Amino acid sequence: MKPWKTILKSACWKKSIADALQGGMLFPTESPSREVKDVSGLWSFRADLSPERSRGFEQQWYKSPLAETGPVIDMPVPSSFNDITQDAKIRDFIGWVWYEKDVWVPARWIQDQGTRIVLRVGSAHYYSVLWVNGVKVTEHVGGHLPFEADISGVLRQTSGSACRITIAVNNTLTLETLPPGTIQYMNDRSRYPAGYFVQNTNFDFFNYAGIHRSVLLYTTPKAHIDDITVETTFSDNIGLVSFNVSVLGSSKPAVKITLSAQDGRCVASADGSRGVLKVTDVNLWWPYLMHENPAYLYSMEVSVENTEDGQTDVYTLAVGIRTVKVTSTQFLINNKPFYFHGVNKHEDADIRGKGFDWPLVVKDFNLMKWMGVNSFRTSHYPYAEEILQMADRHGIVIIDECPGVGIKDIRSFGNVSLAHHLTVMEELVRRDKNHPSVVMWSVANEPASEMPPAGFYFKELVSHTKSLDSSRPVTYITASNYARDLGAPYVDVICVNSYLSWYHDPGHTELISLQLNTQFDDWYGKYQKPIIQSEYGADAVPGLHSDPPMMFTEEYQTTVLQNYHNVFDQKRKEFVIGELIWNFADFMTTQTITRVVGNKKGIFTRQRQPKAGAFLLRERYWRIANETGVLPTWARYPCL
């Protein structure tokens, strides 16, 4: 593991963080001034199996085609590498892996000196170094979020041949990464060979690794739109869209903003990089099942002319006009109470692991809408941007969570960890700030918030996140005792995970009502903040049945849910503002004696087939939605 430790402690690691925070992170889209080339597909791949995982750097594999320095195999991008082969060493591999692909860049991109060429990786887990034609162009710390580099200069210096992209990715987790982990060397030579180590983590999902989202080449003019920030509100029938456009590469840009309705009509326009658009007879962005016209999106076209050379850059952004507010007992969207009835999810599926897959995404949204789900949490990390775009279009509300899961060791509350955590939140907010579906930031999941350093840590983290985006509330997901939670005073919403009659008093569902009422009353009595039951549930092996219900059967899972629901129905009249089942679908975990080929708390199997709990929740979620009295006829009697 020496390369990981050496690079993280070097000056280039600090530089990589600075690079990550320069400029915006607009999702690459085509326009009259921009082109996008997807270079995903089959890449050459090799895991560095040397004892120290350092051979690739020592032999400088990035300087020549990867196949010249040793054997390579095919590896699909995007995907996790773990489940692609039949080799257990690859499935469980920890350390550096190497990807390479030759791509042809259009000649006109290279010949036009006014064209900027950018290479963007949607996400890679967890530490990445990127070369083009043997020249290092950037590195990035952390998974789940994109990073990119301007490669125009490199390509123009080495034009005339295919562009060789090399990416080294390391999935090692340390006490200072997100999520954190430790490497444990086994030194008993009577039981373990020399150099044997294991990666320890404190999270309950498989440590999938690789290049998980698309790799793209895209162009912009040299004078280009670097970032757009949009905040919205409304008064009566007037919508207000505040905008701030950042332009790079021009000292005198002429900026024009045009906002169009879904029928193409221009409803507002303005000149300048900052301002406010006023929209009369506004159509608000409403969540699914909360309004007869949910998920209304306007189209904002930003046009920037460089007055020095006449070049124009154009970028189009979907804009939903809505407000989010929190009181001591309610969560308000557009000044109306919103109740979260939804799910927790994972980016997880057979073979592809955490790799982005459009059929899977569309299937999941169809299942959620069939169930009457109006919200989900991106447990326990940021999901792909395309998923948030789907949520924008379908009106599914998102609690957007960073990768701060498993922070259990006191050493993970230090200054280095905090600095990295702050950086991750900056990257997350910069990427997702314009999505109307995102209504809350979650800065961690089940941290050891009773530890003495946690109070300062989360005060700084929550404060910093609010400074980045004051329009959304901030939470973290707690599982600690309310009386010892040092971070709860700083969040806006209390999110509580509890597994009564599963991890506590297993088999005794008769205790759920008493214990859950006590949980809610204790939390609200101390903090006077609205509460979301952010996780609850029980494992159910599909097709396993018993009566009376026993643990791991479908009947037991539904019995647990019903007992929770009885309490939710009492408390949502007071201060409980949501319920998110754990989990939407079964998912893979590390091999342990408590998991039989993964976590079985899904209400769907990993292959998206329903268990009994899915039908129970469908009936419940549609009933809750119908109680609002604002649904159109088709939604009151779902036939999806």
Side-chain angles (χ1 to χ4, degrees):
M1 303 292 97
K2 286 183 179 178
W4 173 261
K5 294 178 181 178
T6 301
I7 292 177
L8 283 183
K9 292 180 179 178
S10 70
C12 67
W13 176 62
K14 296 177 182 178
K15 180 177 182 295
S16 72
I17 288 183
D19 288 346
L21 297 183
Q22 290 175 357
M25 193 53 71
L26 295 174
F27 185 76
T29 59
E30 294 195 320
S31 75
S33 61
R34 296 177 175 227
E35 292 184 73
V36 179
K37 180 181 175 70
D38 193 335
V39 297
S40 306
L42 281 183
W43 288 52
S44 296
F45 174 90
R46 181 190 305 147
D48 186 341
L49 295 169
S50 62
E52 298 294 340
R53 306 296 196 253
S54 58
R55 185 171 298 151
F57 288 93
E58 293 167 355
Q59 297 181 354
Q60 299 179 323
W61 288 351
Y62 52 86
K63 284 197 169 182
S64 61
L66 198 57
E68 292 183 3
T69 56
V72 297
I73 62 173
D74 290 336
M75 186 58 64
V77 172
S79 77
S80 303
F81 63 73
N82 308 81
D83 292 342
I84 299 299
T85 77
Q86 301 303 106
D87 189 344
K89 293 194 301 294
I90 297 297
R91 181 194 63 200
D92 300 323
F93 183 80
I94 301 295
W96 289 102
V97 297
W98 292 72
Y99 289 80
E100 180 191 86
K101 186 168 187 178
D102 288 343
V103 300
W104 283 101
V105 178
R108 67 182 182 280
W109 290 11
I110 297 174
Q111 294 165 1
D112 185 352
Q113 297 293 319
T115 294
R116 177 173 164 266
I117 307 169
V118 181
L119 176 60
R120 175 187 173 107
V121 179
S123 78
H125 288 59
Y126 288 92
Y127 178 61
S128 305
V129 186
L130 176 60
W131 296 266
V132 171
N133 293 336
V135 178
K136 180 182 171 184
V137 294
T138 194
E139 55 189 281
H140 183 257
V141 179
H144 311 285
L145 291 166
F147 57 96
E148 60 184 30
D150 185 336
I151 62 171
S152 311
V154 174
L155 291 180
R156 290 185 178 118
Q157 291 171 6
T158 57
S159 61
S161 59
C163 165
R164 189 178 76 253
I165 302 171
T166 308
I167 307 175
V169 184
N170 195 318
N171 63 342
T172 308
L173 297 174
T174 73
L175 290 171
E176 296 170 350
T177 60
L178 283 182
T182 58
I183 293 294
Q184 181 181 2
Y185 282 89
M186 302 302 190
N187 296 319
D188 183 350
R189 290 294 165 265
S190 67
R191 302 177 64 193
Y192 304 100
Y196 191 89
F197 67 89
V198 294
Q199 170 80 76
N200 295 318
T201 60
N202 284 310
F203 54 78
D204 185 34
F205 54 92
F206 192 78
N207 187 26
Y208 280 116
I211 302 176
H212 285 153
R213 297 173 193 157
S214 297
V215 180
L216 305 174
L217 289 168
Y218 73 92
T219 67
T220 72
K222 278 194 173 180
H224 61 279
I225 301 160
D226 178 63
D227 196 17
I228 304 169
T229 301
V230 169
E231 291 189 1
T232 66
T233 187
F234 67 93
S235 178
D236 296 325
N237 70 330
I238 304 296
L240 302 174
V241 180
S242 301
F243 63 88
N244 183 7
V245 178
S246 170
V247 179
L248 295 181
S250 175
S251 59
K252 297 179 180 179
V255 181
K256 182 172 181 60
I257 311 294
T258 304
L259 191 71
S260 299
Q262 290 185 353
D263 60 7
R265 290 180 300 109
C266 174
V267 296
S269 62
D271 294 319
S273 59
R274 291 173 178 260
V276 179
L277 300 172
K278 294 184 179 180
V279 183
T280 58
D281 297 322
V282 63
N283 286 298
L284 299 179
W285 187 94
W286 289 96
Y288 177 57
L289 304 182
M290 195 175 178
H291 191 268
E292 61 183 8
N293 186 23
Y296 191 93
L297 293 173
Y298 291 89
S299 178
M300 174 187 281
E301 182 180 277
V302 180
S303 176
V304 173
E305 181 183 0
N306 182 8
T307 56
E308 298 164 353
D309 62 11
Q311 278 193 318
T312 299
D313 189 23
V314 178
Y315 190 88
T316 302
L317 181 73
V319 173
I321 300 174
R322 61 101 179 96
T323 60
V324 175
K325 296 177 184 177
V326 175
T327 73
S328 62
T329 59
Q330 291 182 318
F331 194 97
L332 304 175
I333 295 181
N334 299 337
N335 299 323
K336 292 186 179 296
F338 177 78
Y339 185 77
F340 294 78
H341 46 86
V343 296
N344 293 278
K345 293 182 90 277
H346 264 301
E347 289 184 308
D348 172 278
D350 290 331
I351 301 173
R352 60 193 56 74
K354 290 191 181 303
F356 180 81
D357 180 63
W358 267 120
L360 183 71
V361 171
V362 174
K363 178 66 173 179
D364 282 0
F365 270 84
N366 284 336
L367 287 173
M368 285 190 288
K369 295 182 77 173
W370 172 82
M371 283 180 60
V373 164
N374 67 2
S375 54
F376 70 85
R377 164 176 157 236
T378 68
S379 48
H380 297 297
Y381 38 79
Y383 289 1
E385 293 155 280
E386 294 90 338
I387 292 176
L388 300 186
Q389 292 165 3
M390 284 281 285
D392 292 340
R393 294 195 300 272
H394 290 272
I396 305 297
V397 167
I398 302 295
I399 300 174
D400 204 355
E401 190 160 288
C402 85
V405 56
I407 306 176
K408 304 293 188 182
D409 192 299
I410 195 169
R411 293 168 290 179
S412 293
F413 287 106
N415 289 335
V416 174
S417 297
L418 177 58
H420 178 52
H421 206 147
L422 295 174
T423 297
V424 169
M425 290 310 303
E426 289 193 38
E427 293 181 347
L428 175 60
V429 172
R430 177 171 294 141
R431 192 196 73 164
D432 295 347
K433 61 189 173 182
N434 295 322
H435 289 284
S437 59
V438 175
V439 301
M440 186 157 43
W441 307 112
S442 172
V443 298
N445 176 74
E446 297 185 7
S449 52
E450 73 281 0
M451 288 185 175
F456 172 79
Y457 189 96
F458 285 108
K459 179 181 180 181
E460 292 296 306
L461 191 58
V462 172
S463 175
H464 184 64
T465 304
K466 289 183 177 181
S467 74
L468 298 169
D469 175 25
S470 59
S471 67
R472 292 176 177 89
V474 178
T475 187
Y476 71 75
I477 316 301
T478 184
S480 68
N481 183 285
Y482 79 96
R484 294 180 288 126
D485 195 298
L486 300 177
Y490 307 110
V491 300
D492 301 298
V493 176
I494 303 290
C495 288
V496 184
N497 295 348
S498 62
Y499 291 91
L500 308 177
S501 84
W502 189 258
Y503 297 124
H504 306 282
D505 299 301
H508 294 281
T509 57
E510 72 277 6
L511 298 176
I512 291 176
S513 178
L514 172 62
Q515 294 180 357
L516 189 56
N517 272 290
T518 300
Q519 168 197 283
F520 286 142
D521 291 340
D522 285 349
W523 279 103
Y524 191 77
K526 185 172 180 64
Y527 296 108
Q528 301 293 301
K529 296 178 180 181
I531 300 172
I532 296 176
Q533 183 72 43
S534 43
E535 290 182 22
Y536 72 105
D539 284 75
V541 176
L544 189 61
H545 301 281
S546 73
D547 184 31
M550 293 185 66
M551 293 179 69
F552 292 99
T553 65
E554 294 192 39
E555 288 78 11
Y556 190 85
Q557 185 184 54
T558 58
T559 300
V560 168
L561 302 189
Q562 288 168 330
N563 277 273
Y564 267 86
H565 296 165
N566 291 338
V567 179
F568 294 160
D569 284 340
Q570 300 170 37
K571 294 302 183 182
R572 64 189 176 97
K573 300 172 184 175
E574 303 176 45
F575 49 75
V576 169
I577 60 170
E579 56 190 77
L580 304 177
I581 184 68
W582 188 269
N583 193 281
F584 172 73
D586 295 345
F587 57 91
M588 189 54 62
T589 64
T590 301
Q591 298 182 70
T592 74
I593 58 173
T594 61
R595 297 284 177 253
V596 182
V597 193
N599 189 306
K600 295 295 192 294
K601 290 188 180 67
I603 53 170
F604 293 93
T605 68
R606 203 180 190 209
Q607 295 72 37
R608 276 47 180 183
Q609 296 303 310
K611 303 177 190 176
F615 297 99
L616 175 72
L617 284 170
R618 182 176 192 252
E619 187 280 328
R620 173 174 178 78
Y621 287 173
W622 280 102
R623 176 170 53 81
I624 292 173
N626 285 331
E627 290 173 4
T628 66
V630 298
L631 302 184
T633 301
W634 70 264
R636 292 176 190 165
Y637 303 98
C639 58
L640 293 178

